[in-house]
Amino acid sequence: MTETWDDVNKQVKAEWREETTPFERVYEIVEQTHKGQSAAEIADCAAVSEPTARRHCKTLVNTGFAETEQDGQTTLYKRNSDRVLMSRIHELRDETDRTELLEGIKDMKAEIRRYEDCYDVVSPEELARQLDADETEGWHDLTTWRRTRQNLAVAQAALAYEEAIHKLEL
């Protein structure tokens, strides 16, 4: 069975190489990179040479799509977190109107209060310190609570952005 998967993976990668440019492949890898990767790691994933990966990564940094960090003497590349956040804010603004956004914020705040009341803690981090390893429901709630907090922050940022744009137009 493993050989079959290896063959499928090789075929998919070969098709990917045929259908995309080296720049597109590097872009796709960096777009999925949350924590930094070296040019060599990106090159391996993108099926390009290390100098090609480094050159395209530098282009992505220059355009603001990617950012760098240092790990000793190695430069690590990852997608630009500010750009990801702004993309999420714009996407939310495009998909919802102000009323929907306010209702969503209200609902997320209520959900967070339910977790605080249910577990008698003020944060998911505090809950994590109290949970036993085998408390499946608690760990599921913790994950959902964290995601809700993240979504709330993005929704509030989208609302603030919308208000700032409105103020600038006056």
Side-chain angles (χ1 to χ4, degrees):
M1 185 68 165
T2 303
E3 287 180 33
T4 303
W5 284 113
D6 288 343
D7 292 343
V8 169
N9 288 337
K10 286 177 187 175
Q11 181 64 34
V12 168
K13 196 161 191 171
E15 288 174 8
W16 185 49
R17 284 184 67 162
E18 290 172 15
E19 296 171 2
T20 58
T21 66
F23 178 81
E24 290 170 328
R25 293 193 302 274
V26 169
Y27 176 93
E28 285 182 38
I29 298 304
V30 172
E31 183 178 39
Q32 299 170 29
T33 304
H34 304 310
K35 60 180 212 182
Q37 291 187 348
S38 69
E41 292 168 317
I42 292 169
D44 185 48
C45 293
V48 298
S49 70
E50 187 175 339
T52 297
R54 185 173 289 106
R55 183 176 75 247
H56 292 318
C57 284
K58 286 179 181 178
T59 299
L60 292 171
V61 168
N62 290 338
T63 62
F65 180 79
E67 58 190 12
T68 62
E69 58 187 42
Q70 288 300 125
D71 181 19
Q73 300 222 349
T74 303
T75 300
L76 303 178
Y77 300 90
K78 64 180 180 177
R79 66 185 188 180
N80 183 316
S81 53
D82 289 340
R83 189 174 181 116
V84 172
L85 176 60
M86 286 307 297
S87 293
R88 288 183 65 195
I89 288 171
H90 284 290
E91 184 179 302
L92 188 57
R93 285 183 54 233
D94 291 343
E95 294 174 357
T96 60
D97 62 27
R98 181 178 174 77
T99 303
E100 292 171 314
L101 197 53
L102 287 168
E103 189 63 32
I105 288 171
K106 179 181 159 189
D107 291 346
M108 286 184 277
K109 285 181 175 181
E111 183 178 348
I112 289 169
R113 278 192 299 278
R114 284 192 297 275
Y115 287 123
E116 291 170 345
D117 293 343
C118 176
Y119 291 101
D120 195 29
V121 295
V122 296
S123 71
E125 294 76 21
E126 187 178 348
L127 176 58
R129 288 190 293 272
Q130 294 180 7
L131 288 175
D132 292 329
D134 61 346
E135 292 184 57
T136 306
E137 185 177 340
W139 288 106
H140 173 74
D141 286 349
L142 174 101
T143 301
T144 305
W145 187 355
R146 282 182 174 157
R147 188 176 325 111
T148 302
R149 274 197 335 184
Q150 290 172 344
N151 291 339
L152 175 61
V154 171
Q156 289 172 323
L159 183 62
Y161 185 85
E162 183 69 31
E163 290 172 358
I165 292 293
H166 179 71
K167 298 264 188 226
L168 290 174
E169 292 173 350
L170 294 178

